[in-house]
Amino acid sequence: MSKKKSLYIYNSLSRKKEFFEPLNPPFVGLYVCGPTVYSDVHLGNVRSFMTFDVVYRYLTYLGYNVRYVRNITDVGHLLDDSDTGDDKIEKRARLEKIEPMEIVQKYTNGFHNTVNQFNLIPPSIEPTATGHIVEQIEMVQRIIKNGLAYEVNGSVYFDVKKYSEEHHYGELSGRKLDELLEQTRDNLEGGDEKKYFADFAIWKKASEETIMKWDSPWGIGVPGWHLECSVMSTKYLGQEFDIHGGGMDLKFPHHECEIAQSVGADGVNPVKYWMHGNMLTVNGTKMSKSLGNSFLPHELISGDHPLLEKGYTPMTVRFFFLQANYKSTVDFSNDALQGAEKGLIKLMNAIKTLSKLISSEKSSIDLNTIITNCNDSMNDDFNTPMTIAHLFDGVKMINSINDGKATISLSDLEKLQEHYNIFVFEILGLLPQNTDSSNDELPSELMNIIIELRKKSKENKDWDTADLIRDELKKLNISIKDTKDSSVWNYEE
RNA sequence: GGUUCCGUGGCCGAGUGGCUAGGCAGUGCUCUGCAAAAGCAUCUACAUCAGUUCGAAUCUGAUCGGAACCUCCA
């Protein structure tokens, strides 16, 4: 097995593919910005988390000991910096007339359910912002102590201007402060507490009505949104860690501010490799909550949405996403989804065939090329579409062997089965469809009897009966496909 | 307006300076009681215009079109 650790990762910071070398092998620290749990996650969110699910799976496959941290933002996601310190969750809580923590619990549960449906592996640690208020206050203090933050009326702002005297604010997003200034002139008006337009709140004074608030050296308030990620990544992965992931839309200002805070507090540039997943689009426009063009998971599965012609399984969607590079946008369309659906069935059927393949003395196929190609493409910045293409090369091979047009030795067969198990199920994280029912012994026994009966009627050239059996089973979403001297049955979608 | 990125065949999507991934759909053939599956073969390409080069879809420039970000977003 050519499982060489020659992984290259596209680093958003350098805008280049870089050879991946963990800071402390065999350990790898992976931090991914999780959801703000104020409403249902949509498919665009899912794609982002799925990207890093594959990253986690592949790093694990390579033998790294990965600590995977993905936070839950349950406080501090302010509507904006200039208002009264209201955040997204509180606003929602008022709307639904329940406790903020009920909102948090409700949508955290929803998030977990969704993410489970798409077979995402839970992170090693899933910390919450509210669980790290003390650490956040401490970080604010460190930043103040270093002279890079100032207090105004119970709020604390990060001093971007001061910071930029010695550091490069904008190194990740490629932004220049003076250019930013031109485009955000409006922000300078209106009695802002900030000294400089680009300053951002790291602690915000709470208003009377605010429900979730904490005491601090600056009075009652809430932590700033950007701060939690810096605090929790530092706490669980150290001041400097390997990979930080998130959606493209978090690059600025969120991730830029994270860098500034960490450098401002501890003097260390926190992340070695920054990874950013691209957006999911609908008719060419970003899927987002605020635009109202997002699909919710249950709409996707049922097909109950004006833009969907039918429902699609989570695995179809997973496969669909993985057929595109994570750095590209993916446009959601029925044609594309239906193509993915059929492609996935083809792949899964081949895996089923693979498990029943009969070995020969010798192999007439070149197994190592496929295995090497799959490893190489994953090593090339997690190129899943390429990997899937290589897996389809193997599908051709598997079907040829099944048709008797090629042969495979026992040791090669075992190797090939292992390869597909690892790549399809463990790395790409696909699941066989309908596992729950096909694992049941009774239907399988019953089907054997039915197929035997049908075989008898075929031998008697009683085509009416044979077709009747097949047609009636079809109504139960069970398909029968005849091979040379037997029949194969499957559940259909 | 600024920053970053993209424009590949009917649809989705990789990709390297020369040997034209892959999936879906189409066409023909093989197999087959029929159907499906599968196999084999095959048809549609690299936004436009210049330039560099022996050779460019791949490099450079311009043009056109699209997207994300520019303090809500994964």
Side-chain angles (χ1 to χ4, degrees), chain A residues 227-242:
Chain A
L227 195 65
E228 53 167 308
C229 288
S230 297
V231 160
M232 295 188 281
S233 64
T234 304
K235 174 158 181 175
Y236 298 112
L237 299 173
Q239 290 181 351
E240 196 181 2
F241 60 97
D242 299 294

Side-chain angles (χ1 to χ4, degrees), chain A residues 10 109 128 158 193 312-313 323 346 424 452 466 480:
Chain A
Y10 180 86
N109 291 345
T128 59
F158 191 89
E193 291 172 343
Y312 301 94
T313 65
Q323 271 191 302
K346 185 176 179 176
V424 176
E452 191 57 32
I480 289 213

Side-chain angles (χ1 to χ4, degrees), chain A residues 293-346:
Chain A
N293 63 348
S294 54
F295 294 96
L296 297 178
H298 70 267
E299 294 171 329
L300 175 87
I301 294 162
S302 65
D304 186 20
H305 190 283
L307 289 171
L308 293 172
E309 283 169 14
K310 52 171 287 210
Y312 301 94
T313 65
M315 282 307 114
T316 296
V317 178
R318 182 162 182 129
F319 186 71
F320 170 64
F321 285 160
L322 296 178
Q323 271 191 302
N325 192 292
Y326 77 90
K327 294 195 296 299
S328 312
T329 53
V330 165
D331 199 57
F332 210 75
S333 75
N334 283 285
D335 283 353
L337 234 23
Q338 278 162 31
E341 184 174 56
K342 291 196 178 159
L344 178 63
I345 290 171
K346 185 176 179 176

